[in-house]
């Protein structure tokens, strides 16, 4: 393909052609999805992915020091070429190994924990080399396929961050794959910090003070105060109170209670101010109640990214347009942030339509997957062809 | 009866021994063998799609081990056939195969009609209700047939069972196996107790054998196969493969009663025909299994059911009660 115009003409046919890889892709999806991979315990899943990379004949396929699965589809033109495009999908899930990971397949959909986030992204990653080879699509750049470990929650993007620090390639563009939603186009990261607030009733507490002590009540006070924080409308800012855990039984005063939360903002200044305010709240409530309250901030992101008019975004939008995909622009706080920190122009793309995200009955539709895959391959070809520079 | 341990050692495999699919296919092709996969179904829409996708992708497209995937259905009322067809399996209604014969309904009927409908030199049967399906369910079973010409019938076994102290685990057959079939085999066909899971629904068999044995259409089909193949060819015709875990819906006890009743009918019919019930000097050894690390061993337990006569025949009793 000589230019973006000829690529755009090629894409609708590509979408149709990709249907013949359905069983290959879905079998990879099932086998990946049924291998549990909670954050920090992704080894079995990564080994499966490595096995697939090896079978596809990828050079330099390895599990790196951080537990990432890495495969490299080497440049067909120049063996000494160091320039590379990175395609990344995070390998971990929010589900524990004890969760039943069985996938169910009907004629038009697949259901199971983590099927969208991110088994489909990983399945696309491992099927990509087969498809490119079978369709005789040869790339000038090296294509690095990265199944990133320790990405979510307390993992705090450890896998991809370490890979970007240590790999020997010149990565000039990157695409992050997410199972849903088709049309997702993230090119910027918002500011964020993520943490836990844990309240503990002290060991030596006087239990005869019937009914007026509970870690849950203390945490409740912290929550009320966080809720009362004044947040600016512009730049857009929000606080997500995502998880709460505490106590042991109906009739026992709770000794521990923990809140998991995340602050997001378009402004780094607001993020930092919010962190200070929450620290003040914790100290204030702690001194008032005498309970131990601990604030643990374990993940931070700084806002950034490429502009809307950046050639990479522009290319991706052209590809989407030729496949009748409506772009949905949204910032990201996932692996894209690690790439932005390294000044690598990067995008996050969704592959299909799905629902009930993050639940055990997460479901994705099969039919839109071909469009999603065509979009990924189209974007890779555009980047490789230099149409995005 | 001879010690079964040498047979177990020689003929019991673990699927991981057959990981090299390229080599397996090379030998299959060298020997000119063809393999058909038969999935007997009745209302399996929840699991059939996944089974077909996995087998088609891994064992047809990536590694061409299977030449044909066929679903033979007993008349499902759900979307089993639609889903199977959609993912590229050949689909058949059992009643449409050999339509001039009086139709019968049961899993055995589907398995039997597969011999007529499918083309392979080897037919591998896999139940359609397995939710942790994996290519090993097929290659683990056909590999002994490909590598060893004398093997005719390969049975699956599963469930690395609960761990016990001292590294010894009871090797779990199902409930019907342990309560009914193993005691029956211990009494009448002790050599067959070497088959660790006689009722497993997954097995691979050479066509030459399948075409020569009768098929009960109901629950007795697996039991009858073992007795008939044993009678015709002896233990050397069998091999068995550990396929690790098999996840499927557990049947309620009341259904196991029906299953046992069907098996018992089949068993008695064969035992009578072979004259083993009346003529035999029954053994008092029950043969169960235990696994030590990766070795399977038979556990021989002597259970002697001694009897006392009716009390009325005892002198002291008659004296005491003046009878």
């Amino acid at each position: 393909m000589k230019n973006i115009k000829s690529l755009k003409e090629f894409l609708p046919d590509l979408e149709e052609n990709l249907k013949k890889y359905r069983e290959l892709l879905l079998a990879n999806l099932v086998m990946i999805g049924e291998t549990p991979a909670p954050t920090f315990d992704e080894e079995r899943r990564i080994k499966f992915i490595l096995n697939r990379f090896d079978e596809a004949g990828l050079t330099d396929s390895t599990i790196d020091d951080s537990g990432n699965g890495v495969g490299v589809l080497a440049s067909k033109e120049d063996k000494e070429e160091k320039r590379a495009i990175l395609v990344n999908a995070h390998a971990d899930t929010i589900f524990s190994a004890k969760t039943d990971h069985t996938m169910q397949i009907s004629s038009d959909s697949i259901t199971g924990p983590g099927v969208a986030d991110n088994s489909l992204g990983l399945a696309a990653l491992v099927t990509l080399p087969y498809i490119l080879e079978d369709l005789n699509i040869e790339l000038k750049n090296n294509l690095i396929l990265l199944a990133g470990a320790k990405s979510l929650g307390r993992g705090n993007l450890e896998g991809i961050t370490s890979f970007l620090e240590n790999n020997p390639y010149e990565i000039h563009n990157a695409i992050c794959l997410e199972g849903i939603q088709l049309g997702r186009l993230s090119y910027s990261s918002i500011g964020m910090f993520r943490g836990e607030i844990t309240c503990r009733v002290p060991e030596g507490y006087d239990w005869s003070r019937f009914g007026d002590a509970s870690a849950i009540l203390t945490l409740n006070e912290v929550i009320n105060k966080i809720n009362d924080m004044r947040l600016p409308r512009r730049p857009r800012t929000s606080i997500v109170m995502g998880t709460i855990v505490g106590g042991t039984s109906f009739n026992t005063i709770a000794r521990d209670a923990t809140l998991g939360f995340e602050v997001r903002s378009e402004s780094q200044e607001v993020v930092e101010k919010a962190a200070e305010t929450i620290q003040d709240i914790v100290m204030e409530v702690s001194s008032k109640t005498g309970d131990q309250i601990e604030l643990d901030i374990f993940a931070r992101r700084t806002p950034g990214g490429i502009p809307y008019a950046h050639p990479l975004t522009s290319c991706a939008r052209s590809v989407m347009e030729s496949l009748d995909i409506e772009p949905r622009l949204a910032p990201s706080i996932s692996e894209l942030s690690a790439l932005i920190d390294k000044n690598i122009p990067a995008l996050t793309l969704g592959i299909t339509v799905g629902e009930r995200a993050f639940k055990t009955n997460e479901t994705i539709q099969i039919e839109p997957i071909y469009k999603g895959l065509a979009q990924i391959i189209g974007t890779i070809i555009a980047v490789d062809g230099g149409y995005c520079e | 009866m001879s010690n079964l341990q040498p047979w177990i050692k020689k003929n019991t495999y673990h699927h991981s021994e057959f990981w090299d699919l390229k080599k397996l296919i090379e030998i299959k092709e060298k020997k000119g063998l063809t393999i058909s996969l038969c999935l007997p179904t009745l209302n399996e829409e929840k699991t059939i799609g996944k089974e077909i996708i996995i087998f088609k992708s891994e064992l047809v497209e990536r590694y061409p081990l299977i030449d044909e995937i066929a679903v033979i259905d007993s008349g499902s009322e759900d979307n089993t056939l639609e889903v199977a067809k959609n993912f590229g399996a050949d689909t058949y209604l059992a009643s449409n195969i050999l339509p001039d014969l009086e139709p019968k309904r049961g899993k055995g009927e589907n398995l039997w009609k597969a011999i007529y409908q499918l083309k392979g030199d080897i037919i591998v049967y896999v139940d359609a209700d397995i939710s942790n399906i994996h290519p090993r369910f097929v290659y683990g079973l056909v590999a002994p047939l490909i590598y060893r010409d004398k093997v005719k019938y390969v049975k699956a076994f599963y469930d690395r069972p609960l761990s016990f102290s001292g590294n010894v685990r009871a090797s779990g057959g199902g409930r019907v196996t342990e309560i009914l079939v193993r005691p029956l085999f211990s009494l009448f066909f002790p050599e067959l107790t070497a088959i660790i899971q006689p009722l497993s629904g997954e097995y691979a068999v050479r066509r030459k054998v399948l075409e020569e044995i009768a098929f009960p259409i109901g629950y007795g089909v697996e039991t009858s196969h073992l007795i008939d193949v044993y009678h015709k060819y002896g233990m050397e015709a069998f091999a068995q493969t550990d396929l690790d875990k098999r996840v499927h819906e557990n049947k309620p006890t009341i259904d196991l009663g029906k299953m046992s009743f069907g098996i018992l009918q089949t068993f008695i019919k064969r035992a009578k025909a072979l004259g083993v019930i009346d003529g035999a000097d029954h053994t008092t050894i029950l043969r169960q299994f235990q696994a030590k690390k990766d070795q399977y061993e038979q556990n021989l337990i002597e259970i002697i059911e001694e009897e006392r006569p009716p009390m009325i025949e005892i002198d002291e009793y008659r004296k005491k009660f003046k009878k």
Side-chain angles (χ1 to χ4, degrees), chain A residues 22 34 52 55 103 130, chain B residues 50 57-58 62-63 86:
Chain A
R22 178 180 60 172
E34 292 191 346
R52 286 304 206 232
E55 286 181 337
M103 301 278 144
Y130 290 92
Chain B
K50 191 164 80 179
S57 161
E58 303 305 296
R62 285 160 49 83
Y63 295 97
N86 180 30

Side-chain angles (χ1 to χ4, degrees), chain B residues 164-221:
Chain B
F164 285 80
S165 58
N167 258 343
V168 178
R169 299 162 287 153
S171 174
R175 286 168 286 174
V176 178
T177 295
E178 296 304 331
I179 292 169
L180 179 70
V181 178
R182 199 178 301 289
L184 277 177
F185 280 173
S186 293
L187 275 174
F188 298 107
F189 299 99
E191 283 196 314
L192 282 177
T193 59
I195 308 286
I196 293 174
Q197 224 159 332
L199 298 182
S200 70
E202 286 68 46
Y203 35 95
V205 194
R206 294 191 197 278
R207 174 177 289 277
K208 275 184 282 184
V209 173
L210 287 171
E211 65 194 17
E212 286 182 359
I213 55 177
F215 275 60
I217 62 150
Y219 296 111
V221 65

Side-chain angles (χ1 to χ4, degrees), chain B residues 257-298:
Chain B
K258 293 179 206 162
M259 189 177 171
S260 301
F261 191 62
I263 290 170
L264 209 45
Q265 284 183 42
T266 304
F267 183 87
I268 289 170
K269 197 172 160 188
R270 274 166 172 74
K272 271 186 179 169
L274 297 172
V276 298
I277 289 189
D278 300 329
D281 182 15
H282 300 147
T283 173
T284 51
I285 305 289
L286 174 66
R287 291 164 181 273
Q288 295 178 318
F289 265 95
Q290 64 183 25
K292 280 185 185 170
K293 292 184 180 164
D294 291 327
Q295 298 294 314
Y296 289 90
E297 285 179 6
Q298 280 213 320

Side-chain angles (χ1 to χ4, degrees), chain A residues 22-24 26-27 30-31 34 52 55 102-107 130 366, chain B residues 45-46 50 53-54 56-58 61-63 82-83 86-87 131-132 135:
Chain A
R22 178 180 60 172
E23 280 74 29
L24 209 60
L26 297 187
V30 168
M31 286 189 276
E34 292 191 346
R52 286 304 206 232
E55 286 181 337
T102 304
M103 301 278 144
Q104 268 191 25
I105 301 185
S106 72
S107 291
Y130 290 92
I366 294 173
Chain B
E45 67 175 2
K46 281 187 184 171
K50 191 164 80 179
I53 283 169
I54 296 282
K56 198 174 164 201
S57 161
E58 303 305 296
E61 289 172 1
R62 285 160 49 83
Y63 295 97
E82 186 200 323
V83 175
N86 180 30
F87 290 115
S131 51
N132 65 327

